[in-house]
Amino acid sequence: MSGCQKNEAAVRPSEITSETIYLQRRQWLGQLALLGVGVAALPWSAQAAYSVPAWMNNRLHGTRTREVTTTDSLTPFKDVTGYNNFYEFGLEKTDPLAEAYRLSTDPWSVKVSGLCDLPGHYTLEDILKPVALEDRVYRFRCVEAWSMVIPWLGFPLGSLLKRLRPQSAARYVRFTTLYRPEEMPGQRHAGLAWPYVEGLRLDEAMHPLAMLAIGLYGRALLPQNGAPLRLVLPWKYGFKSIKSIVAIEFVAAPPQTTWATMAPHEYGFYANVNPAVDHPRWSQARERRLPATLWEPNWRTTLMFNGYASVAPLYQGMDLRRNF
Ligand SMILES: Nc1nc2c(c(=O)[nH]1)N[C@H]1C(S)=C(S)[C@@H](COP(=O)(O)O)O[C@H]1N2
Ligand SMILES: [Mo]
């Protein structure tokens, strides 16, 4: 992950808001209208080759609850789906858009194992059957000091984990991304140790803000964003939000996660957004809100826990410089 320069930025009043703000319906629909523009901007290959299964599109019909946690405007669809980190498809921000249309995501199943009463292989349809889908607008902050505002579509991670009946010895959850080098060109080269692995303490995973997403902007996820199922943890740096999940394991000890293993002095297990703890190579005090350019970097002040103060009790009594 690359660096950025240090500088000062002013706090915008719009960023010091309570977590949950319900927008007017008309305002929301106006923002969704941007979607039409974004789809047209996708290259023909990405539009033509990746098909969302019909059952998934059907599942997205119907009314959903909507929660908006920021007054900032949404990052346009074309940026959310065109500027990505998904190293399985390459290291450049535009590689996932160019390469990920090859991914086939139907059928999809998730292997559940470890310290729970209901291990097994669950199809995505099984996972979604009892779930009430929600739209949730979250700020999203990458450790590389850029950020977006994304309207996710999904459901609380905790609701799925509870269904699987964690045992009392389970303290952590470990998530694994698909390993399929035929469809993921980045996995044919060195880079990261594949498959990509992430993890959470079980109580973090149960926090109501922690989400499993199957869509964004009201549509099914495109592969570059981690189709068909990915984590979204708005108070943590983006690398915790693991994409294209194929395994969930309940474990007793902290899992070895990809980035924390690869560069432990740079990327911690917790990876909570924290403007007071800089990355060794750059400041975390501020972020570029995308879309941004060199000429208009669109700096924002980074907030503790990315502004999601309700997670603070999870870390009470911990030294957040050591447990970064
Ligand atoms: N499997 C996998 N998950 C991943 C990554 C990755 O390279 N592989 N990149 C992470 C990083 S660094 C970020 S910032 C987010 C980006 O999510 P987005 O492309 O949907 O914005 O995905 C995270 N999840
Ligand atoms: Mo990231």
Side-chain angles (χ1 to χ4, degrees), residues 40-296:
L42 287 177
W44 67 269
S45 54
Q47 293 183 64
Y50 180 71
S51 66
V52 175
W55 73 262
M56 172 67 90
N57 282 329
N58 292 335
R59 189 64 179 75
L60 300 186
H61 289 145
T63 53
R64 295 189 289 268
T65 64
R66 185 171 63 244
E67 194 179 332
V68 181
T69 67
T70 177
T71 53
D72 295 351
S73 42
L74 301 180
T75 300
F77 182 83
K78 74 166 168 29
D79 298 294
V80 177
T81 58
Y83 184 98
N84 302 99
N85 276 330
F86 200 168
Y87 280 16
E88 285 83 343
F89 295 103
L91 305 184
E92 300 296 328
K93 296 289 183 280
T94 51
D95 286 342
L97 171 66
E99 301 287 342
Y101 65 89
R102 290 192 188 87
L103 186 67
S104 55
T105 59
D106 188 46
W108 193 269
S109 65
V110 177
K111 180 189 176 194
V112 174
S113 63
L115 304 166
C116 70
D117 290 343
L118 297 174
H121 286 86
Y122 293 82
T123 65
L124 188 56
E125 290 97 315
D126 287 339
I127 289 174
L128 296 180
K129 219 163 268 164
V131 158
L133 292 174
E134 305 173 25
D135 292 305
R136 290 194 188 180
V137 176
Y138 283 159
R139 290 182 298 272
F140 186 83
R141 173 46 160 95
C142 174
V143 73
E144 296 164 331
W146 51 263
S147 64
M148 301 197 193
V149 177
I150 303 179
W152 300 105
L153 191 171
F155 56 98
L157 170 62
S159 71
L160 173 63
L161 298 184
K162 268 181 226 146
R163 270 165 67 199
L164 302 170
R165 304 232 187 94
Q167 296 168 356
S168 56
R171 285 280 174 273
Y172 294 85
V173 207
R174 182 178 185 274
F175 301 88
T176 309
T177 293
L178 178 72
Y179 179 71
R180 193 185 285 159
E182 319 87 84
E183 293 180 4
M184 297 177 134
Q187 290 180 334
R188 304 200 287 264
H189 311 289
L192 298 180
W194 314 111
Y196 195 101
V197 171
E198 258 310 332
L200 294 168
R201 238 171 41 202
L202 191 56
D203 60 336
E204 297 180 284
M206 292 294 184
H207 191 282
L209 284 170
M211 184 179 188
L212 277 167
I214 60 163
L216 54 81
Y217 267 101
R219 302 168 26 138
L221 283 178
L222 290 173
Q224 59 265 41
N225 293 106
L229 184 72
R230 58 91 52 90
L231 272 189
V232 178
L233 304 160
W235 73 97
K236 290 181 178 286
Y237 291 125
F239 69 86
K240 298 294 290 183
S241 292
I242 184 174
K243 294 174 167 181
S244 306
I245 295 167
V246 293
I248 300 178
E249 186 180 3
F250 295 88
V251 293
Q256 299 244 319
T257 57
T258 297
W259 281 105
T261 304
M262 167 126 156
H265 51 293
E266 301 200 343
Y267 309 106
F269 174 79
Y270 283 94
N272 291 316
V273 175
N274 189 341
V277 178
D278 285 341
H279 186 280
R281 291 182 280 132
W282 61 83
S283 167
Q284 293 295 26
R286 60 184 197 146
E287 65 205 51
R288 287 179 304 122
R289 174 63 51 78
L290 301 187
T293 63
L294 274 182
W295 301 271
E296 274 185 81

